[in-house]
Structure formats: structure tokens, C-alpha cells
Amino acid sequence: MEAPPLEPLPTFSVETMSRRASLGARWAFGLLIALSLFLYVSPLVPLLPLLFPALAFLCGAYVYARSKSSYVSLVLWMWFLTPFVHRLVDARVGSEQTILLAPYLVGAISGVHLLRNLYLLAQPEMLPFTCALSAIFYGLCIGSVQFGPTLVATVLCEWLVPVLFAIFLFSATYEQEEIRRSFINTFGWAVLITGAYGLYQFFTAPSWDMTWLQSNVDELASIGSPERMEFRVFSTMNSTQVFGLAMMVGLLLLPAWNKALRIPAAMIGFIALLLTASRSAWVGFAAGAVFLFAYADRRQRQRLTLQFAACALLLLVVLRVPMLGTFIADRFRNFNDIQSDASYDDRVQGYKEAVNTILHEPFGEGLGSAAALHTGEIIGPHDSSFLESFYSLGWIGTLIYLGGVGLAGIRTFRHAGDSQSEMIRVGRAVIVAFIIQSPLNSVMLAQAGFFLWAVVALTMKEISMCRPAYEYSSWQTAPEISRG
């Protein structure tokens, strides 16, 4: 009697395994949302400020191990939504800042990749990131001597996590296409969702947002009054400047988002950006849009023209709405008479005082100095990338850090044979937007630094992948880097 034939073992393609990993990551993210909602509506809500960062970290660690592209999406959503969660909890149990640690904890998981591949720091391609890490370490050494460990550790997270995440984006070879696609896709949905919530916020003034605004009236006086249509939109974030930056980056990345919702997202995000009344974000977006249009080919210019035309048409409609038109027109009017603008005068006076301080402190004050020594000044360090750098890193650290940023910029813009890549074009436009507004905002740390370094890393990676094979460097042709 013949034995029955053996059944062939099941085979799984790379795409199937990737889909299963992504599905597991989505379940983990869904579980995080479900547990957070359960705690929020239950008597255990006082524990949520401590449990949410812990649950987010565990979720991030699991997703990182399962799917790198899903991990990138999770980190972005944590930056977009954590301040909103903080306000919801604040409305019920009072202010607890620990929730705001969640995006830093989840983003810091990417540092595992560098720990497993420390030799990367010796590669020439990694020099921009190595310079940034060296400057941050210098500022840490100076700050540790002068300020308390809690303050220094908090500021260290703001400087370090964006660079660690950028190193992961640039050097991880596994799932590279999926990572880029996930980054663009998440930003596209974020522009649509957070922009729509920003419009809802402006017209309805939700109680949790207004309670938070009223309880922080001294620090947030520039946002406006906690009444309908009398404040600058901040959506799911903690300031109009940060939300304006997010909308600026998202709108410039939208041409690379191959979804039918691209035009509606652009229109909603554009109006939300206007309602932030953040002139630095407006100027940055305008500069990035001009650059994007100037370096697009015919087909891309047609797509951009359609997108810009839809936004311009919507703007004309909005300006005819009495309350909206007055709100936006008043802010635009300051561009025509900048000399009489109080904000402009404060910046000029603040820069004069700050330069005098910087000249007498060439070694810097270390990480933590911005919060400990310069709160309440005419122009704070967070109002300028240069003041933030010189105060925290000194002349030595600033030159090293800006040297790394400048080297990344040179590598990003010097190659002319890669114009067919959509990621490179939109990435360059975002970088131009950040450069334009760097004197007006601190763009190198916290949320702004995270967006900037992430786009720089993805753009540099895309350029390296578009070069001819003979230009590849040794680390790109070496055996694949550890997936961790």
C-alpha cells in the first residue's frame, strides 16, 4: 500500500509577511486606544497620566519589533495626538504633564537601531547626524553642571529623540520603501484629520480646549480669548506655532500622497493653516510652495496648479465670511506695516539683548538654560533657532551642530539627476520652508525638530537610492544592517 503524498509546506511571500506584521501593529495601536478610552471613562482616570506613556511605550516596542513602517506611523500619530489626550485628561483630573512624555518615549525606541549598529557613526554618510549628536553631548555636559537632572533630562529628550529617529530613518535598510510610504501617508491623513478638527475647534470652542486655554492664560495669551472664533487655532497640539508647522509640512508633502483625498486635504489643511495666524508658518509654506512649483516638471505643475487653485478659490470664499475674513485679513495687514508691528519691535529689541549675552558666554549655558534662565524675556530662545542653539550649545556646540545641518543641506540640494523622485522634491521644499522661518522659531528640537530631521533623513536616503550604482558607498553595498 502506497503512502499518501506529503502535502507541501505553506509558503509565505515577503508581501504576505509584511501585511501580517502591519495587521498586528494595527491591533496593538487599536488596543492602546481602547485601553486609554476605558481608563478615561472609568474611575481609574487619575491613573491615566502615568499609564498612558507606559502603555504607549509598550505599544511602540511591540510595533517596532513587528513592522518598522507601522512604527513610523505610530510615532507620528503620537506627536499629533498626545497633546489632545493631555487636554482631555486635564479637563477631568487636572494638569499632569507626564502624558506629554509619550511621543518622546515612543520615538526613543528608534535608538535601539543605533545601539545595535554603532559603527554607523564612523561612516561618512552619517556625518550630519554624528555632528548633531556630538553637539548635543557637549550641551549635556555643560547643562549637567548647572541645572537639575530632571530639567536636563527633559531638554535632552527634546534635542536627542529627533536625531535618533532620523538616524533610524536614514540607515535602516529593511522596509525602506514601506517606511517612506508610511511617513507620507500618515502626514496626508494627519492634515485631513487634524485640519478638520482645527476648523471644528474654531467654530465650536470645545470645553476641554477652552478649559486648557483659560488655565494657561498667562503663557498662552498670544493665542487669544477662550471664545468661539476669537482664538488662533491649535487643533490637537499645544500651540499655534507647532500646529502651523505641522500643517506647513503636511501641505508641502501632499503632492507625494497618491490618494484621491489629496485635494480635500489640501483645502482643509490650508484653511486650518490660515486660522493659526502663524505668520512664520505662512511665510515658510509660501517659500516651500514656490520652490516646489519652480522645480516641478509639466505633469507635476499641472497637479500643483490644481491644488493651489482649489486653495485659492477656497480662500476667496473664506474671506467673504464676515468673521473669518476679518480674522485672517487683520493678520495679513501686519505684513504691509511691519514697522508698527509690536511683535516685530519685540524681536528686534530681544535680539539686541540676546546677542550681548551670547558674546559674553562663548561656552554656552548648557541644556536646560532656555527654561531655567530665559523664561519671560522679550524674545525667548524658543522664538529663534539661533538663540536656542547659542544658549544651549554655546559657540562650539552651535558650530558643530549647524555644521552637521549644513552638510545635510548640501547633500540634499547638490544632486541634479534625481528630479524624478517626488519624495526628493517635496523634501527639499519642506527644508526650504524650515530654513526661511528658522530666525522666527526654534525648529531644531521637540516637535519641530522631529519633523525637520525626519524629512532631512528621508530626503537624503531617497537621494542615495537614486544615484547610479557606481556612486553607492561601501556601507550601502555591505550586508544588510541589523533589523533592530
Side-chain angles (χ1 to χ4, degrees):
M1 183 177 180
E2 295 183 0
L6 296 176
E7 295 184 1
L9 293 175
T11 58
F12 300 100
S13 65
V14 175
E15 292 78 7
T16 302
M17 296 175 65
S18 178
R19 282 197 298 269
R20 291 192 175 188
S22 298
L23 182 61
R26 291 192 188 98
W27 276 105
F29 194 22
L31 182 61
L32 171 64
I33 296 174
L35 288 175
S36 301
L37 287 174
F38 171 76
L39 290 171
Y40 181 75
V41 300
S42 72
L44 299 176
V45 64
L47 300 177
L48 193 55
L50 295 176
L51 289 180
F52 182 79
L55 291 172
F57 179 80
L58 293 175
C59 178
Y62 174 79
V63 173
Y64 178 86
R66 295 278 295 182
S67 170
K68 300 300 184 289
S69 58
S70 297
Y71 167 73
V72 169
S73 180
L74 173 64
V75 175
L76 286 174
W77 281 119
M78 295 305 298
W79 283 111
F80 290 131
L81 299 180
T82 297
F84 176 71
V85 175
H86 169 249
R87 291 200 294 273
L88 289 176
V89 176
D90 179 59
R92 289 201 60 185
V93 298
S95 180
E96 289 289 348
Q97 300 294 324
T98 51
I99 286 183
L100 299 177
L101 293 175
Y104 295 100
L105 293 174
V106 178
I109 296 171
S110 61
V112 172
H113 177 79
L114 180 60
L115 291 177
R116 291 184 175 181
N117 303 278
L118 284 174
Y119 68 90
L120 289 172
L121 295 180
Q123 300 294 340
E125 291 79 6
M126 299 294 295
L127 189 56
F129 308 107
T130 304
C131 288
L133 291 177
S134 301
I136 293 170
F137 179 73
Y138 172 83
L140 173 64
C141 293
I142 301 296
S144 298
V145 177
Q146 303 190 58
F147 309 111
T150 301
L151 175 61
V152 173
T154 301
V155 178
L156 177 63
C157 288
E158 294 180 343
W159 280 92
L160 185 60
V161 170
V163 180
L164 291 178
F165 189 75
I167 291 173
F168 161 73
L169 291 177
F170 179 72
S171 60
T173 58
Y174 184 59
E175 296 186 53
Q176 189 58 46
E177 290 293 330
E178 291 80 1
I179 285 175
R180 176 181 54 78
R181 194 179 305 115
S182 177
F183 187 88
I184 296 294
N185 192 51
T186 304
F187 248 106
W189 282 109
V191 169
L192 184 63
I193 294 173
T194 63
Y197 180 76
L199 300 182
Y200 170 80
Q201 180 187 71
F202 185 74
F203 288 108
T204 64
S207 60
W208 48 84
D209 289 332
M210 297 304 101
T211 299
W212 173 77
L213 186 58
Q214 193 166 15
S215 62
N216 296 275
V217 63
D218 294 333
E219 296 86 354
L220 303 173
S222 62
I223 293 181
S225 304
E227 302 290 341
R228 291 175 60 250
M229 296 185 286
E230 293 186 10
F231 59 90
R232 300 161 60 189
V233 166
F234 49 93
S235 187
T236 60
M237 301 193 178
N238 267 354
S239 73
T240 56
Q241 286 79 11
V242 174
F243 179 60
L245 278 173
M247 289 296 100
M248 178 195 77
V249 175
L251 287 169
L252 293 175
L253 291 176
L254 277 182
W257 192 36
N258 295 320
K259 297 285 187 182
L261 291 172
R262 184 177 64 253
I263 299 300
M267 297 172 70
I268 292 175
F270 180 70
I271 296 303
L273 174 62
L274 291 178
L275 292 179
T276 65
S278 175
R279 289 176 297 179
S280 59
W282 291 358
V283 172
F285 170 71
V290 170
F291 179 90
L292 193 60
F293 191 82
Y295 286 88
D297 58 29
R298 176 187 289 183
R299 182 181 61 85
Q300 289 148 356
R301 283 185 179 178
Q302 291 175 348
R303 295 175 61 183
L304 288 172
T305 300
L306 179 61
Q307 184 172 317
F308 293 157
C311 293
L313 181 61
L314 185 60
L315 176 61
L316 293 176
V317 174
V318 167
L319 290 177
R320 291 184 175 275
V321 178
M323 290 293 293
L324 288 178
T326 302
F327 183 87
I328 296 173
D330 287 344
R331 197 66 173 173
F332 268 113
R333 213 170 280 124
N334 289 330
F335 281 115
N336 298 326
D337 190 17
I338 194 170
Q339 295 294 336
S340 64
D341 186 9
S343 176
Y344 172 82
D345 294 337
D346 289 345
R347 286 185 181 274
V348 172
Q349 181 63 28
Y351 264 110
K352 291 180 180 178
E353 296 178 4
V355 168
N356 183 58
T357 301
I358 291 169
L359 290 175
H360 289 82
E361 294 180 341
F363 297 103
E365 300 166 342
L367 300 187
S369 63
L373 304 178
H374 300 284
T375 301
E377 293 183 348
I378 295 177
I379 174 173
H382 297 318
D383 296 322
S384 169
S385 299
F386 303 109
L387 296 185
E388 185 92 51
S389 300
F390 281 111
Y391 283 141
S392 300
L393 308 178
W395 285 87
I396 297 174
T398 298
L399 290 176
I400 296 174
Y401 192 96
L402 293 182
V405 174
L407 183 58
I410 292 173
R411 292 180 175 178
T412 301
F413 287 93
R414 71 178 177 182
H415 296 287
D418 45 33
S419 59
Q420 296 305 310
S421 172
E422 195 75 64
M423 180 65 221
I424 294 174
R425 271 189 298 271
V426 297
R428 286 172 171 170
V430 171
I431 295 170
V432 167
F434 272 107
I435 292 173
I436 290 296
Q437 65 170 301
S438 57
L440 306 174
N441 278 322
S442 180
V443 300
M444 293 186 295
L445 69 159
Q447 296 100 319
F450 177 84
F451 296 148
L452 173 59
W453 275 109
V455 172
V456 167
L458 287 174
T459 307
M460 289 175 59
K461 182 65 175 180
E462 191 75 9
I463 289 174
S464 70
M465 294 174 65
C466 289
R467 294 177 193 167
Y470 60 83
E471 291 186 0
Y472 273 37
S473 54
S474 59
W475 78 274
Q476 288 170 304
T477 57
E480 183 175 305
I481 296 171
S482 167
R483 293 183 181 181

